[in-house]
């Protein structure tokens, strides 16, 4: 599966990353990828503008240099 997210979801993702919101009770922002993956971003990383996503299933970590790069790689808020 490889989805392209709507412009409104991409903008919501950009806003969520800039505002560090909406964090869940575990202190993470939950993400999804058009390839079917799911991941989390920790609140501390968001506050430090460190665009690091940890895959929920594999534990792999993906570090991006910008919000635009993260979104271009298929990630969006879940």
């Amino acid at each position: 599966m490889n989805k392209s997210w709507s412009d409104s979801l991409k903008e919501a993702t950009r806003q969520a990353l800039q505002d560090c919101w909406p964090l869940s009770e575990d202190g993470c922002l939950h993400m999804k990828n058009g390839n079917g993956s799911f991941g989390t971003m920790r609140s501390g990383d968001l506050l430090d503008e460190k665009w690091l996503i940890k895959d929920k299933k594999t534990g792999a970590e993906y570090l991006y240099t910008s919000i635009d790069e993260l979104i271009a790689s298929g990630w969006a808020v879940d």
Side-chain angles (χ1 to χ4, degrees), residues 55-67:
D55 188 288
K56 289 182 181 182
K57 185 175 183 179
T58 67
E61 294 184 342
Y62 305 98
L63 180 62
Y64 298 96
T65 59
S66 68
I67 292 173

Side-chain angles (χ1 to χ4, degrees), residues 29-66:
L29 179 64
H30 292 264
M31 307 292 291
K32 59 185 175 184
N33 192 293
N35 66 12
S37 299
F38 292 90
T40 56
M41 297 182 76
R42 297 182 318 195
S43 60
D45 290 336
L46 290 167
L47 291 170
D48 291 339
E49 295 185 3
K50 183 177 179 184
W51 314 120
L52 177 69
I53 297 177
K54 184 172 183 177
D55 188 288
K56 289 182 181 182
K57 185 175 183 179
T58 67
E61 294 184 342
Y62 305 98
L63 180 62
Y64 298 96
T65 59
S66 68

